[in-house]
Amino acid sequence: MSGYIFKLQLIILLLLAINIKVSAQNLKFLIPDGAVVQYAGSIGYFSGGISYQLFPNQRGNLDLMYGFVPGSKGGVLNIATAKFAYKPWNIKVKNWGKIYPFNPGAFLTYTFHKDLSLKFPSGQYSHDYYYWSEALRPHIAFNSEIELDADKVLKNSRIKAISFYGEINTNDYYLINYLQNMSALTIDDIFQIGVGMRVKF
């Protein structure tokens, strides 16, 4: 009887091991393709996160980031960001890199703060009085990126590429206010600038 129980336990362990291996293979898409850091640009005074390459031609990026604004820079804020950018074309620079001159994109930010909520209090204002969310902001963005082949820059490294980018963005609130107050606001008033670095594994 004890031999039967041992065999049964062994079979169960083997099935669990196979299941774990299959599950791990199915979840490989969760492993990020890189890391990204950024200074400014509406997602925090400083932010960082993970990056995924999208599409078979790797012309898209999805970045999941966390940003922080210290109290000395306008109040303590914690910001979560999901950012998408598409790279429609590139310019190959000899054998050491590529330039992506114009990459349109969009991103969502959510600011965690005790004074900001997803919606304005319904008991205090009518449902259509404020059309925007206090904490959730959709943005449109455009960036330019230069990518360096890591084999040419860092010898014997597991890193595939290092890139640097500059980005401008605006959000729904700024854009609507600009369209309603074009005599008082300029384009410079509604766009924010950020710079960042991406490392591909």
Side-chain angles (χ1 to χ4, degrees):
M1 186 71 176
S2 60
Y4 173 77
I5 292 173
F6 174 75
K7 288 179 183 177
L8 186 60
Q9 289 173 337
L10 188 60
I11 290 170
I12 291 171
L13 284 173
L14 283 171
L15 289 173
L16 284 173
I18 291 168
N19 186 48
I20 289 169
K21 185 176 180 180
V22 170
S23 297
Q25 288 175 344
N26 290 339
L27 297 176
K28 280 180 75 173
F29 71 94
L30 292 176
I31 299 171
D33 300 305
V36 59
V37 293
Q38 182 173 315
Y39 169 73
S42 302
I43 64 173
Y45 184 72
F46 184 80
S47 56
I50 56 177
S51 182
Y52 295 90
Q53 292 183 348
L54 304 178
F55 313 125
N57 59 9
Q58 299 182 350
R59 288 292 179 89
N61 281 107
L62 174 65
D63 300 331
L64 303 177
M65 305 178 72
Y66 161 77
F68 179 73
V69 179
S72 61
K73 302 297 179 181
V76 176
L77 297 173
N78 296 279
I79 303 169
T81 302
K83 181 189 289 191
F84 168 78
Y86 182 67
K87 303 173 180 178
W89 66 87
N90 67 71
I91 302 166
K92 191 166 179 61
V93 185
K94 295 186 178 179
N95 64 344
W96 57 263
K98 297 175 184 174
I99 296 174
Y100 298 93
F102 182 75
N103 309 320
F107 61 91
L108 279 174
T109 61
Y110 189 90
T111 303
F112 298 91
H113 192 276
K114 61 182 179 63
D115 295 330
L116 301 175
S117 60
L118 188 60
K119 294 182 179 179
F120 282 88
S122 57
Q124 191 172 355
Y125 307 100
S126 62
H127 74 281
D128 59 349
Y129 188 80
Y130 287 115
Y131 55 84
W132 65 87
S133 166
E134 293 180 294
L136 186 67
R137 290 263 70 76
H139 297 72
I140 57 171
F142 306 94
N143 74 55
S144 296
E145 185 171 346
I146 182 167
E147 181 180 282
L148 309 176
D149 186 336
D151 286 339
K152 308 297 181 185
V153 180
L154 303 171
K155 301 296 182 183
N156 302 319
S157 171
R158 293 186 179 182
I159 296 171
K160 292 180 181 176
I162 301 171
S163 61
F164 301 91
Y165 64 87
E167 178 183 271
I168 62 170
N169 74 79
T170 189
N171 62 45
D172 60 331
Y173 178 74
Y174 290 158
L175 195 55
I176 290 171
N177 274 279
Y178 169 73
L179 294 174
Q180 293 176 340
N181 301 281
M182 293 179 73
S183 60
L185 297 173
T186 67
I187 287 291
D188 294 344
D189 294 324
I190 67 167
F191 278 96
Q192 306 297 316
I193 299 173
V195 292
M197 181 179 78
R198 187 188 317 280
V199 176
K200 292 182 180 178
F201 305 138

